[in-house]
Amino acid sequence: ELPGPMGRLIATDEPHPTDWYPPRRHDTPVTGVAGTDFSPVSWAADGRVMFWFRRAEAPPLTVEHGTAVTCLAEKPMYAVFGDEAGFLTAVLVSAVVFASIAAHADRVSGVISAVGSPLVATWSAEGVIRLWSAIVADGRIEARGELPGHEDAIVACHFVGGDRLLVSASLDGTIRVWSVADRRAIQVIRNGAPVHALVVSSDARWLATGDAAGNLRIAEVEPGNRYLAEAVIKTQHATGIAGIAMAANDDQHALVWGTDGASIWRMPAGSEWQPPSQLTFIPAPPGASVATCAIVRHGVSALVSWTNGTAVLIDLKGFERQTVDTGGAVIRSVVDLPQTFLTGDDRGRLIEWNR
């Protein structure tokens, strides 16, 4: 057991009693964590992708990729990930079947998968979004076209309505909404400052972006719905907005962060339009900056990790703060799961936190 009220170490290089296996960790800092409550997956700069299973499930699977993994998206029964060399790889976990393809000329910056569809989208500093169909059982990944138009690196993408629409944000200062079937942009929002963060509401009616100037923008996903008035709000984040997070089941709260701290916002919710309003601001400790943030516990709490090896858990209703005992490690990635939430840190550990 870790010190403190919540932590349980499930990945370590020392023998440890646990109902997860293998009892080991990454040799380098964890880059990301994703997955489900039964089979979370973690990846790191050492090129290792690790699928974790509880003892009642199948044996563990460790993919020794060899090249640093930069991003990963999980689908039922398989996962797709991009790497520093520009390749896209898919792994069918149950049968250990692999498929790989050269996706970009440089590192793959991100990958997302469409719900209810085999379609996958990747992007990089090239400014082009590429679409793929992963037919992993046959060991194939097939190209399904491109979405060109951005003039600088793409920072985030989201599928909307299965694979009907795709929303993208770029350092070129634009947010684009694409018709995937037509391979064309149906809306271009010119933000001005480089866009660093993008989220889409769970009902797909609106999107929120954060930019290098510290502006929070709210806009309709599909123009003409007349659901809301576009809003641009100058936030307290003087160093710019680096990320935005919302709970999958709660559009009412958003967590916004930059290197200088994190803020919690009330967002448009329900049938009536109300502009976003800031509820609280959590400044970074002296000499530290934000490492990562996430909304956890199914929209009940916000987790903020600092680069000095400390972290805080904030209740989204009363804004009470609880110190998270990380043992001095810096939490770099977080995934919220039905029964728990997991963190990956700069010591290569994966930690399960009790709700």
Side-chain angles (χ1 to χ4, degrees), residues 309-334:
T310 62
V312 62
L313 200 64
I314 305 157
D315 180 78
L316 291 180
K317 292 184 178 179
F319 308 115
E320 295 87 359
R321 303 181 190 183
Q322 177 183 3
T323 299
V324 178
D325 192 341
T326 66
V330 178
I331 295 173
R332 295 291 186 185
S333 54
V334 186

Side-chain angles (χ1 to χ4, degrees), residues 198-232:
L198 165 71
V199 293
V200 176
S201 64
S202 62
D203 61 10
R205 288 193 290 183
W206 54 268
L207 60 87
T209 62
D211 66 28
N215 296 313
L216 178 66
R217 177 185 290 270
I218 307 295
E220 284 185 323
V221 171
E222 296 186 76
N225 286 345
R226 298 181 181 177
Y227 165 62
L228 53 80
E230 187 171 335
V232 180

Side-chain angles (χ1 to χ4, degrees), residues 216-337:
L216 178 66
R217 177 185 290 270
I218 307 295
E220 284 185 323
V221 171
E222 296 186 76
N225 286 345
R226 298 181 181 177
Y227 165 62
L228 53 80
E230 187 171 335
V232 180
I233 300 169
K234 183 69 174 179
T235 71
Q236 287 183 248
H237 297 284
T239 59
I241 294 174
I244 306 174
M246 292 191 302
N249 61 339
D250 177 19
D251 287 337
Q252 186 174 5
H253 294 103
L255 178 61
V256 179
W257 67 93
T259 57
D260 55 357
S263 55
I264 297 172
W265 292 72
R266 185 180 302 279
M267 303 299 280
S271 59
E272 296 186 4
W273 159 248
Q274 291 183 341
S277 58
Q278 181 177 297
L279 300 175
T280 188
F281 184 84
I282 307 98
S289 59
V290 173
T292 194
C293 295
I295 292 182
V296 296
R297 296 178 168 177
H298 280 237
V300 173
S301 304
L303 177 69
V304 181
S305 167
W306 310 109
T307 54
N308 63 0
T310 62
V312 62
L313 200 64
I314 305 157
D315 180 78
L316 291 180
K317 292 184 178 179
F319 308 115
E320 295 87 359
R321 303 181 190 183
Q322 177 183 3
T323 299
V324 178
D325 192 341
T326 66
V330 178
I331 295 173
R332 295 291 186 185
S333 54
V334 186
V335 60
D336 196 34
L337 302 176

Side-chain angles (χ1 to χ4, degrees), residues 34-36 39-41 51 72-80 93 111 113:
T36 66
S39 59
V41 55
F51 296 85
L72 182 144
E74 192 170 45
K75 296 180 73 68
M77 300 306 296
Y78 72 92
V80 289
V93 179
V111 57
S113 62

